[in-house]
């Protein structure tokens, strides 16, 4: 991913001053060297904060006291982007951010205000890195360690602050905390290219298909259990159908398929009611059947009349509301006709006697509107008499029909009470109807679970899809791809180690993802980085592995890792700050051993060599005490003016209060 730092920006709190801009060259090793307490170590927190860090680690007091906004200009494949973030004050961070985009940003605004927020900037950076929208569980909603990879996770490969660059226990930025360490372990196969966005999409589809398959299998299992119970009860249902007279008794016990056919014939018959109600039926039962039929007809007729009565009542209420509205309009417009009647040729207003053409035209418009309203609604319009007659007729029919229904119900209760046989036959008919209904549902279930069942076919197709996706994922062989990627990284690092100040440069090293550290493979034993002594070894292994990772990322066609690396104080292991400082120390150079000077120069030479080999795709920023004498003549290495004699990150005039100053 082409993503390099073009400049760092500071906006002062005092509007009399102009912004401070630190320019960097792309595709080079940029060195900021100088004395202590000049602000060098604030560069990494400023870049990190402007790229969406969750907390502001910029040093307090001088820098945050005099700066209102911090910003970076980054060069990308889509042009330059200025990302600025407000100083958070007493808070841990702020979401207030400023974004400006252009092909190349030359002029920067003197004062800025919020026009976006940190979440929007993070989404922009995620899109620039072309990161997958899926998480590592195969979904889109997971958070924490299994959440989707983000641009913020890639900061582990871009920063080596002072407390990390030669640390025997911590190799990557912020992995001294459990949360960042676990997330980096999770995303490592992704940034190595072993897990691709396409592979994550297939994993997501596999998880979704498996979930759908489990649901369908549960449905099928439940249906089959129901079917098993139904088959066990099949003989009992067949006997019950014979007892109810719904099917004849065969001479020999029927087979299963024969019983199903006979029961399906029972469901398909349309004369069940006649068979049950007329076989050996008494006169009372016949009369009761007629009464039930009459009761149903009268009930339907009464329901129709009640609906018609409700509609007519709603129509009357609507008419009354319409008349009230028209009356209100007529009352409001009646004044216009009164004014017209009381005007003459000399005056248009009977109250003040004025004569204006506009007043007369408006009165005429209002009068015309009144006539339209009266013509539309009609004056003293009433509901037609035919409507009232129809309403009374419907109300009368409702009463008559209600009495008919009550009469039928009385006769029915009396007949049922007198005829025990009718009651028993009626119960038998209802029982037969209920049995046929249950039987129909059971037979439908049997048909759905047959060999041509849609549910069975659907489960089979889902199983085939799961097997196909699993086969595709097996061919990807993520573990083998990860091993090949790590072998390539280790090979890059192995070629860099002999160029650095390391005790055993020929011993192979390997990056251990599970422990996020380096293992040195010696002749007799393997040692982790924390088990090896000497700060020079720690520094050399850090530089070799971080540069090797960037070399590997640049060799990939679509790596999401930004193409820059910021290293803070790599020479600290050779030139430690004295415990007790002499009064004249700032004005004289420390006596340094020749071997230490050579070791520091080796480090800069390796940085320059890797950057030149990258052909503009990698940028390194080094923050160090080492002066230009050590690195000034190394190919690929450039530097800003040394921060000494009052030159610092925050200009002295900002501290002194003098205005109109810009340092580029």
């Amino acid at each position: 991913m082409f993503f390099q730092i073009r400049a760092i920006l500071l906006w002062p709190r005092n509007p009399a001053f102009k912004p401070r801009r630190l320019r960097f060259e792309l595709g080079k090793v940029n060195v900021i060297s100088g004395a202590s307490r000049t602000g060098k170590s604030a560069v990494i927190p400023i870049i990190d904060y402007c790229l969406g860090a969750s907390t502001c680690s910029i040093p307090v007091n001088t820098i945050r006291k005099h700066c209102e906004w911090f910003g970076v200009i980054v060069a990308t494949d889509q042009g330059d982007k200025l990302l600025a973030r407000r100083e958070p004050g007493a808070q841990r961070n702020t979401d207030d951010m400023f974004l400006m985009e252009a092909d190349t940003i030359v002029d920067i605004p003197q004062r800025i205000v919020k026009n976006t927020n940190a979440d929007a900037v993070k989404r922009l950076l995620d899109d620039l890195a072309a990161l997958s929208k899926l998480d590592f569980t195969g979904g889109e909603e997971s958070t924490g360690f299994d959440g989707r990879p983000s641009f913020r996770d890639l900061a582990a490969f871009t920063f080596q602050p002072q407390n990390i660059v030669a640390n025997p226990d911590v190799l990557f930025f912020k992995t001294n905390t459990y949360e960042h360490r676990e997330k980096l372990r999770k995303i490592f196969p992704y940034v190595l290219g072993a897990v691709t966005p396409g592979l994550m999409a297939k994993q997501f589809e596999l998880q979704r298909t498996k979930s759908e398959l489990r649901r369908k299998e549960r449905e099928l299992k439940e249906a089959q259990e129901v079917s098993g119970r139904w088959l066990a009860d099949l003989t009992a249902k067949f006997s019950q159908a014979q007892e109810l007279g719904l099917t004849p008794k065969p001479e020999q016990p029927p087979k299963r398929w024969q019983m199903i056919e006979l029961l399906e014939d029972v469901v398909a018959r349309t004369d069940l009611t006649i068979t049950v109600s007329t076989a050996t039926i008494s006169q009372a039962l016949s009369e009761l059947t007629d009464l039930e039929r009459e009761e149903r007809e009268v009930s339907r007729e009464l329901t129709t009349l009640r609906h018609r009565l409700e509609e007519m009542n709603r129509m009357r209420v609507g008419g009354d509301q319409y008349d009230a509205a028209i009356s209100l309009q007529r009352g409001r417009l009646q004044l216009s006709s009164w004014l017209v009647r009381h005007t003459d040729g000399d005056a248009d207003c009977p109250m003040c006697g004025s004569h204006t053409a506009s007043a007369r035209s408006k009165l005429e418009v209002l009068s015309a509107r009144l006539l339209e309203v009266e013509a539309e609604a009609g004056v003293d319009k009433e509901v037609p008499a035919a409507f009232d007659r129809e309403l009374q007729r419907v109300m009368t029919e409702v009463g008559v029909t209600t009495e008919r229904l009550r009469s039928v119900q009385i006769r029915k209760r009396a007949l049922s009470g007198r005829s025990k046989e009718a009651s028993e036959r009626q119960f038998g008919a209802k029982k037969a109807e209920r049995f046929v209904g249950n039987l129909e549902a059971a037979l439908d279930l049997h048909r759905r679970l047959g060999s041509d069942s849609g549910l069975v076919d659907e489960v089979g197709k889902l199983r085939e899809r799961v097997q196909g996706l699993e086969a595709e994922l097996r061919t990807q062989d993520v573990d083998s791809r990860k091993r090949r990627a790590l072998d390539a990284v280790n090979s890059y690092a192995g070629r860099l180690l002999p160029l650095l100040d390391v005790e055993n440069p020929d011993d192979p090293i390997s990056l251990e993802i599970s422990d996020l550290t380096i293992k040195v493979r010696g002749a007799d034993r393997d040692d982790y980085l924390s088990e090896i002594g000497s700060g020079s070894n720690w520094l050399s292994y850090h530089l070799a592995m971080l540069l090797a990772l960037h070399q590997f990322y640049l060799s990939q066609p679509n790596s999401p890792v930004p193409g820059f690396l910021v290293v803070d104080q790599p020479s600290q292991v050779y030139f430690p700050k004295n415990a007790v400082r002499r009064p004249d120390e700032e004005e004289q150079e420390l006596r340094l051993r020749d071997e230490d000077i050579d070791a520091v120069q080796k480090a800069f030479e390796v940085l320059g060599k890797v950057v030149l080999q990258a052909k503009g795709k990698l940028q390194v920023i080094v923050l160090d005490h080492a002066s230009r004498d050590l690195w000034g003549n190394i190919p690929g290495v450039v530097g800003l003016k040394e921060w000494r004699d009052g030159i610092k990150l925050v200009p002295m005039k900002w501290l002194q209060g003098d205005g109109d100053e810009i340092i580029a």
Side-chain angles (χ1 to χ4, degrees):
M1 173 189 178
F2 182 73
F3 189 100
Q4 298 183 14
I5 308 299
R6 192 180 292 278
I8 293 177
L9 306 171
L10 306 179
W11 279 268
R13 293 188 183 276
N14 188 343
F17 297 111
K18 296 179 181 180
R20 161 80 145 141
R21 185 194 307 206
L22 298 176
R23 303 176 189 267
F24 300 98
E25 292 190 32
L26 306 182
K28 296 291 183 63
V29 177
N30 294 262
V31 182
I32 299 178
S33 65
S36 299
R37 297 193 298 274
T38 54
K40 297 188 302 297
S41 294
V43 170
I44 288 180
I46 288 174
I47 298 174
D48 190 40
Y49 185 58
C50 294
L51 295 182
S54 58
T55 58
C56 179
S57 302
I58 302 172
V60 296
N61 298 328
T62 301
I63 299 178
R64 290 175 60 171
K65 178 181 179 181
H66 294 278
C67 297
E68 184 178 14
W69 286 80
F70 304 96
V72 294
I73 299 177
V74 294
T76 72
D77 289 327
Q78 300 179 10
D80 287 358
K81 301 185 185 300
L82 191 161
L83 306 172
R85 197 169 183 182
R86 187 190 299 275
E87 194 277 322
Q91 302 176 359
R92 291 172 57 86
N93 62 56
T94 177
D95 282 337
D96 295 351
M97 293 197 69
F98 173 81
L99 171 65
M100 185 171 76
E101 300 176 280
D103 291 338
T104 301
I105 296 178
V106 179
D107 299 323
I108 61 174
Q110 301 302 301
R111 308 298 295 177
I112 58 176
V113 295
K114 172 186 176 182
N115 66 1
T116 186
N117 57 53
D119 289 337
V121 169
K122 290 178 184 178
R123 289 194 295 270
L124 170 66
L125 296 175
D126 289 347
D127 292 339
L128 286 174
L131 292 168
S132 174
K133 303 296 183 183
L134 300 175
D135 57 43
F136 291 100
T137 63
E140 298 177 335
E141 302 296 335
S142 296
T143 58
F145 308 143
D146 290 325
R148 60 182 295 267
S150 71
F151 185 88
R152 291 299 314 155
D153 300 329
L154 308 179
F157 309 108
T158 58
F159 299 120
Q160 283 281 290
Q162 187 174 354
N163 65 322
I164 300 292
V165 70
N167 193 320
D169 299 311
V170 181
L171 180 61
F172 296 103
F173 180 56
K174 287 189 176 180
T175 52
N176 53 329
T177 64
Y178 176 76
E179 177 184 359
H180 289 88
R181 185 168 60 252
E182 293 303 315
K183 186 59 182 292
L184 184 57
R185 286 195 183 112
K186 197 71 177 180
I187 71 166
F188 233 121
Y190 179 82
V191 297
L192 289 174
V195 176
T196 63
L199 188 62
M200 294 177 69
K202 287 192 178 296
Q203 289 175 336
F204 169 69
E205 184 180 359
L206 176 61
Q207 295 298 328
R208 183 189 60 79
T209 307
K210 281 184 174 180
S211 177
E212 180 70 9
L213 175 60
R214 287 192 294 269
R215 185 175 66 84
K216 292 295 183 180
E217 285 178 337
R218 286 195 300 269
E219 293 180 4
L220 180 60
K221 182 178 179 181
E222 292 173 358
Q224 289 173 339
E225 290 176 353
V226 172
S227 177
R229 292 192 297 270
W230 174 80
L231 290 174
D233 193 45
L234 181 61
T235 304
K237 285 186 178 294
F238 186 71
S239 299
Q240 188 177 1
Q242 293 177 2
E243 293 174 0
L244 293 172
L246 301 176
T247 184
K249 185 176 182 180
E251 297 179 358
Q252 297 180 353
K255 297 181 180 180
R256 171 182 165 183
W257 63 270
Q258 291 175 327
M259 286 190 292
I260 293 177
E261 287 183 353
L262 291 172
L263 292 175
E264 287 180 344
D265 290 340
V266 171
V267 173
R269 290 171 59 182
T270 59
D271 60 340
L272 288 178
T273 303
I274 298 175
T275 302
V276 174
S277 59
T278 58
T280 64
I281 192 169
S282 65
Q283 183 64 32
L285 181 59
S286 178
E287 185 178 353
L288 182 60
T289 302
D290 293 339
L291 287 175
E292 288 178 344
R293 186 184 305 108
E294 183 180 357
E295 181 183 23
R296 289 193 295 271
E297 293 174 355
V298 174
S299 295
R300 285 195 296 268
E301 184 179 350
L302 180 60
T303 300
T304 302
L305 289 171
R306 284 176 176 172
H307 287 168
R308 180 170 177 77
L309 182 60
E310 290 174 0
E311 293 295 332
M312 295 183 74
N313 285 330
R314 280 197 292 269
M315 185 181 297
R316 175 180 286 278
V317 172
D320 293 341
Q321 292 175 347
Y322 177 75
D323 289 342
I326 293 298
S327 299
L328 181 62
Q329 287 191 3
R330 287 202 303 268
R332 290 175 176 174
L333 295 172
Q334 196 68 40
L335 178 62
S336 63
S337 61
W338 180 85
L339 289 173
V340 171
R341 289 196 303 271
H342 287 78
T343 57
D344 52 30
D346 298 331
D348 294 326
C349 179
M351 305 299 296
C352 64
S354 64
H355 180 75
T356 60
S358 62
R360 175 172 291 277
S361 63
K362 291 180 179 179
L363 284 176
E364 290 174 353
V365 170
L366 290 174
S367 298
R369 179 58 183 155
L370 176 61
L371 293 176
E372 292 176 2
V373 171
E374 291 178 346
E376 178 182 351
V379 180
D380 299 330
K381 188 175 181 179
E382 297 181 354
V383 178
F387 179 84
D388 289 334
R389 287 197 301 271
E390 180 65 14
L391 180 63
Q392 293 298 324
R393 185 189 69 79
V394 171
M395 294 176 63
T396 301
E397 288 188 6
V398 168
V400 172
T401 306
T402 302
E403 289 299 324
R404 284 177 57 199
L405 180 61
R406 186 179 297 111
S407 174
V408 171
Q409 291 173 344
I410 292 173
R411 291 164 55 198
K412 180 180 173 183
R413 286 195 297 270
L415 184 59
S416 297
R418 291 195 307 268
S419 177
K420 181 179 180 181
E421 180 185 0
S423 298
E424 292 176 350
R425 295 299 296 171
Q426 183 181 21
F427 176 77
K430 298 298 182 184
K431 182 178 179 181
E433 291 175 359
R434 287 193 298 271
F435 172 78
V436 172
N438 293 333
L439 180 61
E440 184 176 10
L443 290 172
D444 180 66
L445 176 62
H446 175 74
R447 286 189 293 270
R448 288 194 299 112
L449 295 175
S451 59
D452 58 344
S453 168
L455 184 59
V456 173
D457 291 344
E458 193 171 355
V459 169
K461 291 178 181 179
L462 287 173
R463 285 174 178 165
E464 291 179 0
R465 182 57 180 158
V466 168
Q467 293 172 358
L469 288 171
E470 288 177 340
E472 290 183 33
L473 291 175
R474 281 195 299 270
T475 60
Q476 298 291 333
D477 197 359
V478 174
D479 290 337
S480 295
R481 292 160 62 99
K482 184 169 63 176
R483 284 194 301 270
R484 289 194 296 269
L486 288 175
D487 289 343
V489 172
N490 297 334
S491 177
Y492 283 125
R495 288 194 289 268
L496 295 177
L497 278 176
L499 306 178
L500 294 166
D501 182 30
V502 65
E503 188 174 355
N504 297 305
D506 297 327
D507 288 349
I509 67 171
S510 63
L511 176 62
E512 301 296 318
I513 293 180
S514 58
D515 300 309
L516 295 180
T517 188
I518 295 172
K519 181 186 290 186
V520 181
R521 304 184 182 277
D524 300 324
R525 51 174 287 174
D526 296 342
D527 298 309
Y528 288 100
L529 183 63
S530 59
E531 299 174 324
I532 299 174
S534 179
S536 63
N537 285 327
W538 302 333
L539 172 66
S540 298
Y541 287 128
H542 272 256
L543 291 179
M545 187 54 67
L546 266 296
L547 291 173
L549 283 168
H550 277 280
Q551 287 179 312
F552 174 79
Y553 298 145
L554 294 176
S555 70
Q556 302 301 300
N558 297 303
S559 174
V561 180
F564 76 92
L565 173 65
V566 186
V567 182
D568 188 12
Q569 304 291 352
S571 69
Q572 63 181 319
V573 298
Y574 301 104
F575 312 140
K577 187 163 55 178
N578 292 347
V580 179
R581 300 181 60 86
R582 298 190 302 274
D584 60 342
E585 182 177 305
E586 293 183 358
E587 300 179 0
Q588 63 181 350
E589 294 291 332
L590 297 174
R591 291 176 174 246
L592 306 175
R593 297 192 307 271
D594 290 340
E595 59 269 24
D596 290 341
I597 294 176
D598 292 340
V600 174
Q601 288 179 333
K602 284 183 179 180
F604 280 102
E605 288 172 355
V606 169
L607 292 172
K609 178 180 179 180
V610 172
V611 166
L612 290 177
Q613 289 176 346
K615 298 180 180 180
K617 296 182 180 180
L618 178 64
Q619 177 193 48
V620 176
I621 299 175
V622 180
L623 317 167
D624 207 288
H625 289 290
S627 65
R628 187 180 294 270
D629 296 337
L630 294 179
W631 47 263
N633 297 321
I634 298 176
V637 180
V638 297
L640 280 67
K641 186 176 181 180
E642 291 193 17
W643 291 2
R644 301 180 189 276
D645 301 325
I647 300 178
K648 300 181 179 181
L649 177 66
V650 178
M652 292 299 297
K653 288 195 174 184
W654 291 14
L655 281 62
Q656 296 167 358
D658 296 333
D660 196 21
E661 175 74 10
I662 182 170
I663 300 180

